[in-house]
């Protein structure tokens, strides 16, 4: 039988694959949100932030490898890369035999750079897919991508900054829809999906060790520390009902209250953390949370790195 051996979570900001000297280029060249200015110059904290990011990703990588998984299930959202007018399922599993994609930063690095070539745990994926469909989740599947970079950066960037591309792991990407309403998953649906994902892993007859990694979030492009604090509290709670204190529109419309376009709403990626937490069914350990502001007017990312200690 397959065994769930670990659940983990990471933000995936381009700051994790760029030195501090490049961070000014990450600042959005768009109108500023209506927020009070922060105290001081945010750039004064960037060297400290990079040191914390480096420490957190090293700890996270060590924790993933210490669990000795055979397969890493990555739960991350498509951000206009392969979902769109042709198809935008709520949940989709990538079931090619092999992943060949780029982990480039997509700003000044092209699709031929930082290639990631890793096997896909297709047989395990087919079993999980069937179990999910048999239990009320109509999960799509694909073996192709349309984007020049291949599968979305929610999958490839962690392979780069966690240095897992040569780890010998097989991947199983599960991609969620956050930018193509109206069929974006609700908080309640994500809790149920995470629970069903754990059951599907446990029901698979193959003798593989499986870890799950949420990739994305927390709040951004406008950083909301109050919302992030409630997300962290829910993750550290042993009661999944804590997630229901967060309203769907707090995630789906985080951009709207600041007059920003939907493509700048990364806060909706918190749904991937909900799935991971519900899959773990245990309180998380926060390795680090850094409210990483890019500008004094409020743009930034709630950078989070976490692991869940599973009970047998």
């Amino acid at each position: 039988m397959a065994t769930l051996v670990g659940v983990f979570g990471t933000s995936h900001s381009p700051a994790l694959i760029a030195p501090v000297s490049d961070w000014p280029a990450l600042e959005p060249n768009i109108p500023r949100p209506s927020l009070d200015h922060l105290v001081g110059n945010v750039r004064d904290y960037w060297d400290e932030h990079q040191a914390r990011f480096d420490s957190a990703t090293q700890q996270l990588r060590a924790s993933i490898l210490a669990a000795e998984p055979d397969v890493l299930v990555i739960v991350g959202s498509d951000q206009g890369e392969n979902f769109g007018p042709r198809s935008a399922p709520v949940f989709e599993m990538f079931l090619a035999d092999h992943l060949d994609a780029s982990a480039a930063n997509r700003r000044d690095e092209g699709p031929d750079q930082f290639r990631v070539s890793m096997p896909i745990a297709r047989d395990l994926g087919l079993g999980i897919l069937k179990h999910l469909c048999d239990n009320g989740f109509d999960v799509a599947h694909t073996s192709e991508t349309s984007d020049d970079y291949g599968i979305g950066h929610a999958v490839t960037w962690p392979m780069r900054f966690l240095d897992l591309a040569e780890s010998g792991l097989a991947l199983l990407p599960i991609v969620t829809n956050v930018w193509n309403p109206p069929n974006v998953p609700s908080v309640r649906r994500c809790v149920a999906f995470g629970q069903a994902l754990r059951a599907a892993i446990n029901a698979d007859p193959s003798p593989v060790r499986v870890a799950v990694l949420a990739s994305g979030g927390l709040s951004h492009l406008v950083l909301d520390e109050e919302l992030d604090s409630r997300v962290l509290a829910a993750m550290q709670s042993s009661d999944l009902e804590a997630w229901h204190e967060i309203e769907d529109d707090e995630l789906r419309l985080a951009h709207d209250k600041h007059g920003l376009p939907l493509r700048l709403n990364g806060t909706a990626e918190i749904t991937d953390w909900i799935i991971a937490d519900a899959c773990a069914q245990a309180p998380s350990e926060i390795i680090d949370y850094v409210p990483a502001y890019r500008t004094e007017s409020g743009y930034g990312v709630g950078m989070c790195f976490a692991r869940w200690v599973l009970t047998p």
Side-chain angles (χ1 to χ4, degrees), residues 47-66:
D47 287 332
E48 175 196 339
H49 287 176
Q50 185 170 58
R52 289 174 66 177
F53 298 161
D54 289 346
S55 175
T57 54
Q58 289 170 13
Q59 292 181 63
L60 188 58
R61 180 182 190 275
S63 295
I64 292 171
L65 295 180

Side-chain angles (χ1 to χ4, degrees), residues 155-186:
V155 175
T156 57
W157 281 6
M159 296 304 97
R160 179 175 172 181
F161 63 74
L162 294 176
D163 191 22
L164 292 174
E166 303 296 330
S167 63
L169 288 169
L171 298 182
L172 182 59
I174 297 176
V175 184
T176 63
N177 178 27
V178 296
W179 279 7
N180 294 273
N183 62 323
V184 293
S186 67

Side-chain angles (χ1 to χ4, degrees), residues 57-272:
T57 54
Q58 289 170 13
Q59 292 181 63
L60 188 58
R61 180 182 190 275
S63 295
I64 292 171
L65 295 180
E68 298 183 334
D70 304 304
V71 177
L72 184 64
V73 175
I74 300 185
V75 181
S77 300
D78 182 274
Q79 296 173 28
E81 293 143 326
N82 292 289
F83 288 11
R86 183 175 180 275
S87 180
V90 181
F91 305 109
E92 180 179 82
M93 192 175 291
F94 185 74
L95 289 178
D97 293 324
H98 205 84
L99 174 71
D100 183 21
S102 172
N105 65 22
R106 299 171 179 247
R107 178 175 49 84
D108 58 4
E109 297 170 352
D112 293 333
Q113 296 177 273
F114 297 98
R115 301 298 298 183
V116 174
S117 180
M118 299 178 73
I120 296 295
R122 190 170 186 274
D123 290 344
L124 174 68
L126 287 169
I128 291 175
L129 182 69
K130 185 177 186 303
H131 188 280
L132 290 170
C133 289
D134 288 345
N135 287 274
F137 291 90
D138 298 322
V139 181
H141 63 88
T142 186
S143 58
E144 298 179 355
T145 57
S146 57
D147 188 72
D148 289 343
Y149 291 84
I151 202 166
H153 67 278
V155 175
T156 57
W157 281 6
M159 296 304 97
R160 179 175 172 181
F161 63 74
L162 294 176
D163 191 22
L164 292 174
E166 303 296 330
S167 63
L169 288 169
L171 298 182
L172 182 59
I174 297 176
V175 184
T176 63
N177 178 27
V178 296
W179 279 7
N180 294 273
N183 62 323
V184 293
S186 67
V187 171
R188 187 169 297 276
R189 191 62 169 165
C190 288
V191 170
F193 186 82
Q195 293 172 306
L197 177 60
R198 177 166 183 152
I201 292 170
N202 290 339
D204 194 89
S206 57
V208 295
R209 297 171 61 85
V210 181
V212 172
L213 174 68
S215 170
L218 298 185
S219 67
H220 67 289
L221 190 60
V222 177
L223 204 163
D224 186 339
E225 292 188 61
E226 190 279 329
L227 173 60
D228 285 351
S229 70
R230 287 187 283 131
V231 170
L232 295 173
M235 288 166 53
Q236 295 173 90
S237 171
S238 58
D239 183 6
L240 290 176
E241 288 295 318
W243 284 112
H244 300 141
E245 299 299 317
I246 296 174
E247 299 290 336
D248 292 333
D249 283 352
E250 291 187 84
L251 308 185
R252 295 173 178 173
L253 302 179
H255 64 296
D256 207 36
K257 65 182 179 181
H258 300 293
L260 299 176
L262 179 59
R263 65 178 180 82
L264 297 180
N265 181 22
T267 297
E269 298 171 20
I270 288 171
T271 51
D272 301 316

